Amino acid sequence: MLQIETELKYLLSRTSFCSLYRYLRQKGYQLNLTRQVNYYFSSPDHPSSLHLASTRIRYIQNACQGKWEITCKVSIDETTTDTIQNSYEYNVDISREKALDYINHGLAEQAQKELFGDLYQIHGIPMTDLFCIGHLRTSRFAFTVKDDLPALLLDVNFYLGVFDYEIEWELKEIKTANTLLQSMFHQLEILPIGKMTPKVKRFLDANQKTT
């Protein structure tokens, strides 16, 4: 399934993240917790293609059930800013058996064609066999702060010995959401840290430092 994903994103220090979490809990906003594992794929032949698209398998576990999905994201660079990320997102639900096979043995070109059709040709991305290069774990706290908006997501991420803390808000009403966030930041005296970078980019940067 194709969708255009728009995300408002901020990185926070652990202290600021905990402050915001406590504030939202004290307000009594509805909270949902899910745990996720992202398995990232790359090509030894075309590592530069990761700047054009990123492929991952995600396992999502909530209180009721778990599911596996494979996603290819293609960044829409002309509308991406320091806090807003826009991308074409292609999602396909897959079985646990398929997911583990791809993670352990790689994602061949033919399998990518079956999953994503003409995606690579449409976006001018070189196609090549992909292999899993590692994973990132996320504890995701989803707060419903307004009934007419999607949940505000507070993510604690762990990868390659690194913890980081991030806010994501996946929605079209960016100005409304950012106004609400800035009000919370001001009240709690929170300042985001660094420039917004996607999870996969942060993982790749950390991975390069360990090789």
Side-chain angles (χ1 to χ4, degrees):
M1 180 180 68
L2 168 64
Q3 62 184 29
I4 296 179
E5 179 186 66
T6 300
E7 295 177 300
L8 180 66
K9 297 169 73 81
Y10 289 99
L11 289 173
L12 299 180
S13 68
R14 183 180 186 278
T15 300
S16 294
F17 183 93
C18 292
S19 178
L20 179 59
Y21 175 86
R22 286 193 299 269
Y23 170 83
L24 295 171
R25 291 287 281 166
Q26 289 167 0
K27 286 287 187 179
Y29 295 128
Q30 180 182 339
L31 170 62
N32 228 356
L33 170 64
T34 59
R35 302 190 187 277
Q36 304 175 353
V37 187
N38 288 347
Y39 297 88
Y40 294 119
F41 287 74
S42 181
S43 163
D45 298 324
H46 296 281
S48 62
S49 64
L50 282 171
H51 298 292
L52 303 174
S54 63
T55 300
R56 72 169 187 235
I57 289 176
R58 172 176 283 178
Y59 175 66
I60 305 169
Q61 177 70 55
N62 58 31
C64 302
Q65 61 183 353
K67 77 165 191 172
W68 295 84
E69 65 181 18
I70 186 167
T71 299
C72 184
K73 278 191 176 186
V74 181
S75 177
I76 307 175
D77 291 335
E78 60 270 19
T79 57
T80 293
T81 70
D82 285 350
T83 57
I84 300 170
Q85 180 183 354
N86 285 297
S87 56
Y88 298 108
E89 185 172 291
Y90 297 79
N91 290 305
V92 181
D93 290 338
I94 56 175
S95 67
R96 177 180 182 274
E97 291 73 23
K98 279 285 188 185
L100 293 179
D101 181 53
Y102 296 147
I103 290 167
N104 292 324
H105 303 110
L107 190 57
E109 288 187 27
Q110 184 56 40
Q112 294 171 63
K113 289 178 182 177
E114 292 171 0
L115 289 163
F116 300 125
D118 296 328
L119 159 67
Y120 297 93
Q121 183 178 349
I122 291 170
H123 295 286
I125 300 168
M127 177 170 279
T128 182
D129 294 343
L130 299 174
F131 299 92
C132 182
I133 57 172
H135 65 274
L136 175 151
R137 297 182 181 275
T138 298
S139 295
R140 169 164 283 180
F141 302 90
F143 287 93
T144 303
V145 299
K146 285 195 71 176
D147 290 338
D148 58 342
L149 293 177
L152 170 62
L153 308 176
L154 274 64
D155 288 352
V156 179
N157 306 301
F158 178 70
Y159 52 98
L160 302 171
V162 175
F163 279 99
D164 68 27
Y165 305 87
E166 163 184 42
I167 300 173
E168 288 190 9
W169 214 339
E170 300 175 7
L171 76 180
K172 301 299 182 185
E173 301 85 352
I174 290 292
K175 289 184 178 179
T176 299
N178 204 33
T179 298
L180 286 170
L181 268 183
Q182 294 301 324
S183 176
M184 295 179 202
F185 289 172
H186 179 74
Q187 183 174 343
L188 298 170
E189 298 182 344
I190 286 174
L191 290 175
I193 57 173
K195 180 182 177 182
M196 182 280 294
T197 52
K199 286 182 176 67
V200 62
K201 177 67 166 58
R202 303 200 305 272
F203 171 85
L204 290 171
D205 288 346
N207 190 48
Q208 287 181 349
K209 292 178 182 177
T210 62
T211 56

